[in-house]
Amino acid sequence: MKFREAVKHYEKQCAENGVPEETVMAFLVEIANQERYNLYVHYEEEMPEELEAQFQTGMERILKQEPMAHVLGYSWFYGYKFLVDGDVLIPRPETEELCARILACIDRFFPEGEVHCVDIGTGSGAIAVTIAKEEPRVRMDATDISLEALEKAKANARENDAEISFYAGDMVKPPIAEGKQYDVLICNPPYIPSNESMETSVIEFEPHVALFGGEDGLQFYRSVFTDCRKVLKPRSFMAFEMGWNQREAMSRLVKEMLPEAQFEIRKDMNGKDRMLFVYFGLEDAVK
Ligand code: SAM
Ligand code: GLN
């Protein structure tokens, strides 16, 4: 089959199976690149047999709603490659925005010297690796309750040549036990309310321990808000990802549990409330 015919065929199949059509080209570009095959030059030609077989097998899985990242075995995040499988959340584009904002805050509040950071619930290690790579002054710790996730995160740190210390355990408990003191605490906790319905590709293929945050989705924020001051320096900030519909509940929770802090909720590029920043001892952090 020619490249063009194969693409058309699977785009039609995708449309019929409720899978976004763009997935076809995204997947093909990815596997063709692995073979160092310039797709655009050869688009009107016959597909090499091996590539065609790989494309077909992969597309059949994608048509059954399996995430493309699982078929490939990796996903791109902030320009870095992360190995992923059913044990970790596939890193999301919204979380790249969180990273960009954290890096800007580090520049603003801690312009010199070492910056001690922790990523709670690191999953694939996407946030921890990205921040450590992008800001060489950062000393990064990362935690997760899932030992399988920690193994993936360690592999991803190694593959990306990032230096990170990993700890297993429940939320802020490991750094408390280690007597750590941080400038920055980062956390993208599971925040989906437990009764919310979700797409098949997420609910059937991604780990539930990475998704659900109790009845109102806020259980893990409560846990961090309760313990955070034990591991934070007097001048420090926290950065969280949050659900687009949690603004009011979240504001109430921060005011109630951390009345001494300044905080702001920022939108992602889709205009949805997505990031919570909480500042301690930082003058004029929120203008
Ligand atoms: N940080 C990654 C990212 O942004 O792509 C993964 C975020 S995922 C939404 C939440 C992560 O928290 C999962 O890796 C999950 O295993 C971990 N987690 C769930 N419950 C936890 C707990 N009680 N203590 C520590 N980590 C937990
Ligand atoms: N953004 C993810 C989703 O909608 C959930 C991530 C999380 O709970 N932190 O699938």
Side-chain angles (χ1 to χ4, degrees):
M1 215 186 303
K2 288 185 177 155
F3 279 98
R4 189 175 39 74
E5 293 163 349
V7 168
K8 287 282 158 280
H9 169 75
Y10 279 113
E11 280 178 351
K12 187 156 168 276
Q13 295 277 308
C14 278
E16 285 166 11
N17 286 274
V19 175
E21 287 173 47
E22 305 80 63
T23 316
V24 180
M25 266 318 251
F27 180 57
L28 184 55
V29 165
E30 209 52 59
I31 60 174
N33 270 345
Q34 288 165 17
E35 307 284 315
R36 309 211 174 283
Y37 205 86
N38 189 336
L39 185 59
Y40 296 99
V41 176
H42 302 281
Y43 201 53
E44 293 299 332
E45 297 172 10
E46 289 292 315
M47 277 178 103
E49 233 167 77
E50 242 173 73
L51 189 65
E52 183 173 338
Q54 196 190 350
F55 181 55
Q56 281 179 350
T57 322
M59 277 313 306
E60 291 307 323
R61 289 170 64 184
I62 290 169
L63 285 171
K64 295 198 182 98
Q65 314 286 334
E66 192 168 345
M68 182 172 84
H70 286 183
V71 176
L72 291 168
Y74 63 83
S75 169
W76 294 100
F77 182 87
Y78 221 94
Y80 301 100
K81 192 176 189 174
F82 289 90
L83 304 171
V84 296
D85 60 16
D87 289 330
V88 295
L89 188 90
I90 301 164
R92 306 289 205 263
E94 307 86 275
T95 311
E96 294 180 316
E97 290 187 62
L98 180 71
C99 288
R101 176 76 200 157
I102 291 167
L103 289 165
C105 282
I106 290 177
D107 275 347
R108 179 174 165 208
F109 298 120
F110 307 111
E112 281 168 10
E114 283 187 354
V115 185
H116 293 250
C117 301
V118 64
D119 177 24
I120 304 287
T122 196
S124 65
I127 300 175
V129 168
T130 299
I131 302 295
K133 293 297 286 182
E134 294 290 311
E135 178 46 83
R137 294 185 292 114
V138 159
R139 309 267 284 190
M140 183 62 79
D141 291 346
T143 78
D144 209 289
I145 201 160
S146 152
L147 300 180
E148 293 80 11
L150 275 182
E151 283 312 307
K152 266 278 119 67
K154 282 180 194 168
N156 283 322
R158 224 173 17 244
E159 291 285 314
N160 286 293
D161 200 17
E163 212 174 297
I164 298 172
S165 305
F166 290 98
Y167 302 92
D170 182 30
M171 301 312 281
V172 190
K173 303 282 183 302
I176 294 177
E178 298 282 329
K180 297 276 185 163
Q181 289 284 295
Y182 297 105
D183 303 291
V184 184
L185 183 156
I186 308 163
C187 183
N188 173 14
Y191 56 66
I192 311 288
S194 40
N195 60 358
E196 196 158 299
S197 61
M198 302 188 75
E199 293 167 42
T200 312
S201 61
V202 176
I203 203 77
E204 281 190 9
F205 293 96
E206 298 205 77
H208 290 193
V209 65
L211 294 170
F212 296 106
E215 212 173 316
D216 62 356
L218 298 177
Q219 162 193 337
F220 293 106
Y221 302 91
R222 286 192 190 90
S223 166
V224 176
F225 295 171
T226 302
D227 284 338
C228 61
R229 301 296 321 245
K230 297 174 190 152
V231 296
L232 285 173
K233 296 183 190 169
R235 283 183 85 247
S236 55
F237 73 87
M238 300 197 287
F240 300 89
E241 191 171 302
M242 58 181 264
W244 60 273
N245 52 2
Q246 291 170 338
R247 174 183 276 271
E248 272 174 36
M250 189 67 90
S251 303
R252 238 179 291 128
L253 200 63
V254 182
K255 280 182 196 151
E256 182 192 309
M257 296 189 70
L258 300 167
E260 73 281 26
Q262 295 183 61
F263 73 98
E264 61 184 333
I265 290 170
R266 303 181 68 95
K267 293 186 190 301
D268 64 19
M269 66 174 113
N270 296 314
K272 292 190 167 161
D273 292 323
R274 184 64 67 193
M275 295 166 256
L276 167 71
F277 281 78
V278 181
Y279 308 96
F280 298 104
L282 296 167
E283 301 293 304
D284 301 323
V286 181
K287 285 176 192 145

